[in-house]
Amino acid sequence: ILNNTTLSTQKSDITLNGTAANFMNLYFTDPAKITFDWDIHSNRLVFDEFTGLLSSSSGSTKKTARTNNNRSLQNINDKLQYVMNNSTAHLHLHVVDMLYRTFSAQSLEANADLAPGKIVLNKASVKFAGGAINANVAVSPASSPIAFRMQTDLNNVEVDKLFTGFGNLGQS
């Protein structure tokens, strides 16, 4: 159980509340069955700081000469990395200001499901470029090229700011 747990980075602040039912039992027996259910609140969230969490990883870590203490800590770290790469999470996001590269928006509300190899945003809404965007999004970051599906509803959004915010959709 996480209650009012606050995390801060150089540019972001996050408050977590939530549970992972049977975490300790499943941690030792079948970590892939762990499901996190978190409410996440943030006054400012800079997604650029967290893209590494979404990259596919085999869970491998660099092996170097270690003392017994360091090996024990590395084993715990390896196990936690395995749990995070193989578990699922249901996130309820409430973000006042969010940034990602050239995209800046306010009042993000979304339900996100994170599973190995897949991210799904349901009922995402955000204020952007003088209007609002409502979307359902599915991304498979582990695929190459990245599989991406999005259904959106744009209301009163300034089109020039939309293209600027999304980096002209990769066009030059």
Side-chain angles (χ1 to χ4, degrees):
I1 296 176
L2 293 175
N3 286 318
N4 206 29
T5 302
T6 302
L7 306 170
S8 296
T9 65
Q10 188 175 13
K11 300 175 184 176
S12 302
D13 66 84
I14 300 170
T15 302
L16 298 167
N17 291 292
T19 61
N22 295 319
F23 179 82
M24 290 309 291
N25 290 332
L26 293 172
Y27 179 84
F28 293 107
T29 60
D30 193 356
K33 289 185 180 177
I34 295 173
T35 300
F36 296 94
D37 190 8
W38 290 340
D39 284 316
I40 299 176
H41 297 266
S42 177
N43 290 317
R44 180 176 172 86
L45 186 61
V46 180
F47 280 99
D48 301 279
E49 293 183 310
F50 302 98
T51 55
L53 295 175
L54 303 177
S55 64
S56 67
S57 170
S58 63
S60 64
T61 57
K62 285 186 180 179
K63 303 291 181 195
T64 58
R66 296 181 174 92
T67 65
N68 285 338
N69 240 5
N70 286 343
R71 272 191 219 110
S72 178
L73 289 174
Q74 186 61 46
N75 288 341
I76 292 169
N77 184 50
D78 289 347
K79 186 77 166 186
L80 286 172
Q81 183 70 37
Y82 178 82
V83 168
M84 296 311 292
N85 286 342
N86 293 287
S87 62
T88 59
H90 304 293
L91 311 176
H92 312 283
L93 302 168
H94 314 277
V95 180
V96 176
D97 288 307
M98 63 158 282
L99 296 123
Y100 178 68
R101 296 183 183 174
T102 58
F103 183 81
S104 175
Q106 295 72 46
S107 302
L108 169 68
E109 297 283 334
N111 292 317
D113 292 317
L114 304 156
K118 190 169 188 179
I119 301 167
V120 177
L121 289 176
N122 294 303
K123 299 179 183 175
S125 65
V126 66
K127 292 180 182 174
F128 174 72
I133 300 174
N134 297 307
N136 293 308
V137 180
V139 180
S140 297
S143 65
S144 181
I146 294 174
F148 185 86
R149 182 178 48 86
M150 180 165 60
Q151 175 187 9
T152 61
D153 180 21
L154 305 174
N155 295 304
N156 300 316
V157 173
E158 297 175 36
V159 175
D160 61 330
K161 290 182 181 177
L162 175 73
F163 280 98
T164 299
F166 283 101
N168 287 323
L169 304 175
Q171 304 300 307
S172 48

